[in-house]
């Protein structure tokens, strides 16, 4: 429906706007202002039912934004960080990241789409030409600006279209909650996950290279062997998280070379088991000096003495490597006698 189909008396009255005014080009003014094209009224300007439909559409978009924001918060709380889903044709994705991106994107997009639809269908679309003026506004100009603002507010129907106004307030008020929820990552809540590993009484020590349980005879004096807990496989979904805490290094010393009494008690025939995770920033330790019984972290050169309770003798590490108490079961395999007695890896402020 166009303005030509509506009786002239039903069209909105426009005041103060000269549409279609054209200057005539002459020698003095060869580039005349062509003026503005005649204004075409939209269907919403002349049909209140169409305006109501647009109002409901805008309110729907703002309401959808509110629901998406609530979905963002619910996803952040309810979906485990390690859960994955298959999305065609992308493939496997983190379920949490996918949900957060989808809901936050929807929340922001629908606010923008609602605002654009509101502006294009319900706010006044009359083009206004105004002459440039000095930067220092005169009282008359300021009065005109205030009058224009009041006129614009009236034409936007912000006060009259209460459904749009209220749903807009709700959408804009809820969207910042997404950022507030993300502040949770500034203070992670690991509960007691950092204090425990997969090691437990009776768990066999499995060679990381051969994937076979270790016997004392498999560990030669002066050698360095890396082990993992029985039952932890590389194809497990949580393998990386668990091995980052449970990785073990095994060294065999001569019992008479072990200086620390507890280390000797927790060993088996000179075989000692220590956490492979450096207590500085968590790098994996892999360098062993056979003659000195020192192990060196390649990241920042923290050095630990495995013959003296793995205490720090050089570098920025804050405390000794945790030792795992081990023994031999009835079948002759090395096994753990429990978990580490202190958290592995770097210290953290809740550690107490």
């Amino acid at each position: 429906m166009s303005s030509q189909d509506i009786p002239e008396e039903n069209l909105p009255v426009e005041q103060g706007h000269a549409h279609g005014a054209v200057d005539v080009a002459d020698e003095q003014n060869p580039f005349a202002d062509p003026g503005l094209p005649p204004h075409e009224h939209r269907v919403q300007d002349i049909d209140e039912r169409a305006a109501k439909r647009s109002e409901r559409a805008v309110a729907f978009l703002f309401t959808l934004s509110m629901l998406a924001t609530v979905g963002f918060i619910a996803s952040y709380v309810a979906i485990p960080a390690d859960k994955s889903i298959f999305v065609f044709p992308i493939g496997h994705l983190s379920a949490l990241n996918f949900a957060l991106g989808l809901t936050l994107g929807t929340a922001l997009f629908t606010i923008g789409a609602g605002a654009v639809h509101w502006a294009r269908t319900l706010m006044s679309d009359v083009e206004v030409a105004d002459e440039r003026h000095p930067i220092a506004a005169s009282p008359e100009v300021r009065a005109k600006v205030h009058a224009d603002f009041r006129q614009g507010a009236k034409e936007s129907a912000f006060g009259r279209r209460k459904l749009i106004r209220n749903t807009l307030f709700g959408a804009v008020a809820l969207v910042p909650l997404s950022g507030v929820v993300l502040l949770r990552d500034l203070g992670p809540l690991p509960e007691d996950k950092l204090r425990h590993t997969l090691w437990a009484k009776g768990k066999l020590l499995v060679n990381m290279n051969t994937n076979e349980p270790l016997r004392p005879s498999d560990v030669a004096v002066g050698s360095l062997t890396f082990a993992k807990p029985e039952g932890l496989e590389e194809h497990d979904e949580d393998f990386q998280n668990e091995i980052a805490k449970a990785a073990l290094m095994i060294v065999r010393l001569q019992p008479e070379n072990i200086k620390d009494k507890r280390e000797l008690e927790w060993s088996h025939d000179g075989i000692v088991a220590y956490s492979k995770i450096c207590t500085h920033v968590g790098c994996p330790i892999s360098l062993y000096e056979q003659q000195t019984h020192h192990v060196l972290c390649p990241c920042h050169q923290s050095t630990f003495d495995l013959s003296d309770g793995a205490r720090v003798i050089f570098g920025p590490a804050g405390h000794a490597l945790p030792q795992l108490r081990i023994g031999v079961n009835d079948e002759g395999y090395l096994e753990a006698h429990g978990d580490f007695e202190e958290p592995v890896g770097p210290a953290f402020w809740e550690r107490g």
Side-chain angles (χ1 to χ4, degrees):
M1 181 181 294
S2 66
S3 60
Q4 287 78 9
D5 302 324
I6 302 299
E8 185 174 351
E9 60 270 15
N10 291 345
L11 295 177
V13 178
E14 297 169 5
Q15 299 178 351
H17 306 303
H19 284 276
V22 179
D23 291 339
V24 178
D26 53 26
E27 292 183 359
Q28 300 296 327
N29 186 21
F31 302 102
D33 182 3
L36 296 174
H39 178 249
E40 290 284 342
H41 292 285
R42 302 162 302 185
V43 66
Q44 290 86 359
D45 297 330
I46 53 184
D47 187 350
E48 183 60 22
R49 290 178 300 176
K52 284 291 185 182
R53 287 195 296 270
S54 294
E55 181 179 8
R56 289 192 293 268
V58 174
F60 170 77
L61 290 170
F62 290 157
T63 302
L64 186 59
S65 173
M66 289 188 283
L67 294 176
T69 300
V70 173
F72 177 94
I73 298 172
S75 299
Y76 194 85
V77 173
I79 300 178
D82 55 357
K83 182 177 178 57
S84 63
I85 58 173
F86 180 81
V87 178
F88 179 82
I90 302 174
H92 288 281
L93 299 172
S94 166
L96 178 59
N97 290 345
F98 180 77
L100 295 182
L102 182 63
T103 53
L104 184 57
T106 301
L108 296 176
F109 173 79
T110 48
I111 285 181
V116 169
H117 190 61
W118 182 6
R120 292 181 66 87
T121 61
L122 295 174
M123 294 184 183
S124 175
D125 68 335
V126 177
E127 296 183 72
V128 179
D130 199 0
E131 296 296 330
R132 294 185 179 181
H133 52 78
I135 295 178
S138 64
E140 293 79 9
V141 171
R142 289 198 295 270
K144 183 179 183 299
V145 170
H146 293 159
D148 289 346
F149 177 81
R150 289 191 293 269
Q151 180 67 21
K154 180 179 178 181
E155 292 177 349
S156 71
F158 192 78
R160 187 161 61 92
R161 308 285 181 183
K162 294 183 179 180
L163 181 59
I164 288 181
R165 181 189 63 195
N166 295 339
T167 51
L168 171 64
F169 286 160
V172 173
L174 283 179
V175 161
L177 292 180
S178 302
V180 173
V181 172
L182 291 177
L183 294 177
R184 170 184 170 184
D185 281 345
L186 296 178
L189 303 174
E191 300 173 349
D192 62 348
K193 295 176 183 176
L194 298 178
R195 301 180 182 274
H196 304 288
T197 71
L198 287 183
W199 291 110
K201 184 174 178 60
K203 284 266 187 177
L204 298 181
L205 277 62
V206 177
N207 191 307
M208 286 284 292
N209 295 323
T210 65
N211 210 34
E212 297 292 334
L214 286 166
R215 296 178 180 272
S217 58
D218 297 330
V219 185
V221 174
S223 66
L224 177 64
T225 305
F226 300 122
K228 64 180 181 179
E230 174 190 14
L232 181 61
E233 303 295 338
E234 291 189 12
H235 56 75
D236 293 343
E237 186 175 350
D238 59 347
F239 175 79
Q240 296 297 337
N241 288 334
E242 295 300 338
I243 199 63
K245 297 185 294 181
L248 202 66
M249 59 180 178
I250 303 170
V251 174
R252 189 165 199 163
L253 311 173
Q254 295 292 352
E256 58 271 18
N257 291 334
I258 298 177
K259 306 171 187 176
D260 185 80
K261 181 179 179 180
R262 193 184 80 160
E263 178 182 359
L264 183 61
E265 293 175 352
W266 285 18
S267 67
H268 174 78
D269 197 19
I271 300 174
V272 295
Y274 282 98
S275 171
K276 185 183 176 181
I277 309 304
C278 180
T279 57
H280 177 217
V281 293
C283 295
I285 297 173
S286 58
L287 304 176
Y288 175 57
E289 297 176 354
Q290 183 180 18
Q291 301 300 319
T292 61
H293 313 305
H294 296 168
V295 288
L296 179 70
C297 176
C299 292
H300 304 96
Q301 287 70 57
S302 293
T303 307
F304 306 86
D305 186 355
L306 294 190
S307 67
D308 191 14
R311 65 182 181 88
V312 183
I313 59 174
F314 179 79
H319 54 277
L321 296 172
Q323 183 180 3
L324 185 70
R325 188 170 188 172
I326 61 173
V328 175
N329 65 11
D330 296 337
E331 298 178 356
Y333 291 106
L334 291 171
E335 67 174 8
H337 283 181
D339 198 358
F340 293 103
E341 288 202 347
E342 63 268 14
V344 302
F348 51 95
W349 70 276
E350 294 176 329
R351 205 168 164 163

